[in-house]
Amino acid sequence: MNNVKFEIAPSDFVQKCLYLKGKPFSLEEYPFFRDIYDINNSNVLLRCARQLGKSTFLANYLIMMASTHSNFSCLYVSPTANQTSIFSKQKLTPILNQSPFIRDFLFKKNINDQIQYKRFSNDSDIYLKSCFLEADSIRGTSSDLNCIDEIQDILSTNIPVIEETLTRSSHKIRLYAGTPKTNQHAIEYYWERSTKN
């Protein structure tokens, strides 16, 4: 990633510092995610089947980046407000609240812990938005990392608007994820222009 340096591998960070369901997060059952966590690229597209752990990966990655970089803004976007709310409540918030290092030193539960906004004590934050038919709710947000979930259900014309949030960032990290439904949606467009690793 551009200008992003880690003292330890990201896959090691998430296993040492993040907790899931009251236990340290582990990649033991998902070893293929180790390379994805550790990839050194500012443009990543996950084109996967359902129930592979994409949402957990996205939550972990957002928390890792906000935790390890001061003044770093993350933007999570999904197609609907309901999907964004579920991601915030079921994926992001439990990890924030159960991970001792994050909870005790970087994230205070009673301060700036909303469904659509998470603020860290190192002045980093995570914005959570939805964007289905139009991208008006995204305008005006600035970010260093854009995470678009269920990209196959977001109109292709809205993605450039979302990407505009990276304009002032020196990082400009794009992390897109989804599950193909047909070959006529945004995920296929980006897949055809990727390295297809």
Side-chain angles (χ1 to χ4, degrees):
M1 281 167 225
N2 302 340
N3 303 320
V4 178
K5 305 282 188 237
F6 290 96
E7 296 295 322
I8 65 171
S11 60
D12 291 333
F13 175 89
V14 297
Q15 292 182 96
K16 290 178 191 291
C17 298
L18 302 186
Y19 277 54
L20 185 64
K21 297 182 181 175
K23 297 183 286 190
F25 175 73
S26 172
L27 289 170
E28 188 174 318
E29 293 182 29
Y30 301 93
F32 53 89
F33 267 112
R34 180 175 291 279
D35 289 338
I36 297 171
Y37 277 102
D38 295 341
I39 194 167
N40 187 18
N41 195 309
S42 57
N43 295 298
V44 175
L45 170 68
L46 300 179
R47 182 177 176 259
C48 307
R50 296 263 174 230
Q51 301 302 314
L52 282 180
K54 287 190 308 289
S55 294
T56 299
F57 167 76
L58 297 177
N60 284 349
Y61 202 86
L62 289 165
I63 293 168
M64 177 186 66
M65 295 302 285
S67 298
T68 58
H69 300 84
S70 298
N71 300 294
F72 192 91
S73 287
C74 303
L75 172 63
Y76 170 89
V77 180
S78 72
T80 68
N82 186 52
Q83 287 170 308
T84 299
S85 177
I86 289 170
F87 177 82
S88 180
K89 291 176 184 175
Q90 291 185 359
K91 300 296 180 184
L92 205 58
T93 298
I95 297 168
L96 289 168
N97 291 336
Q98 294 174 23
S99 303
F101 172 74
I102 305 298
R103 180 191 64 223
D104 297 343
F105 296 103
L106 291 166
F107 185 76
K108 303 298 182 195
K109 185 176 178 181
N110 298 325
I111 302 170
N112 295 317
D113 178 15
Q114 304 164 23
I115 290 174
Q116 294 186 327
Y117 180 69
K118 311 290 184 188
R119 180 80 173 172
F120 291 71
S121 61
N122 64 355
D123 294 324
S124 291
D125 42 33
I126 301 173
Y127 294 91
L128 299 110
K129 308 252 184 183
S130 60
C131 172
F132 185 60
L133 295 176
E134 57 186 38
D136 287 346
S137 68
I138 311 295
R139 296 179 196 279
T141 306
S142 295
S143 65
D144 296 295
L145 162 63
N146 280 356
C147 176
I148 303 179
D149 196 7
E150 304 295 351
I151 191 172
Q152 76 280 353
D153 294 329
I154 292 181
L155 292 176
S156 298
T157 54
N158 287 335
I159 295 172
V161 176
I162 298 168
E163 290 181 340
E164 283 295 316
T165 64
L166 296 168
T167 301
R168 294 185 180 185
S169 173
S170 60
H171 301 286
K172 292 182 175 49
I173 301 168
R174 294 169 183 86
L175 177 57
Y176 300 160
T179 301
K181 293 180 177 177
T182 69
N183 59 3
Q184 299 295 318
H185 45 66
I187 197 169
E188 293 304 317
Y189 173 86
Y190 287 98
W191 177 252
E192 287 304 317
R193 285 152 184 79
S194 75
T195 59
K196 300 183 179 111
N197 290 337

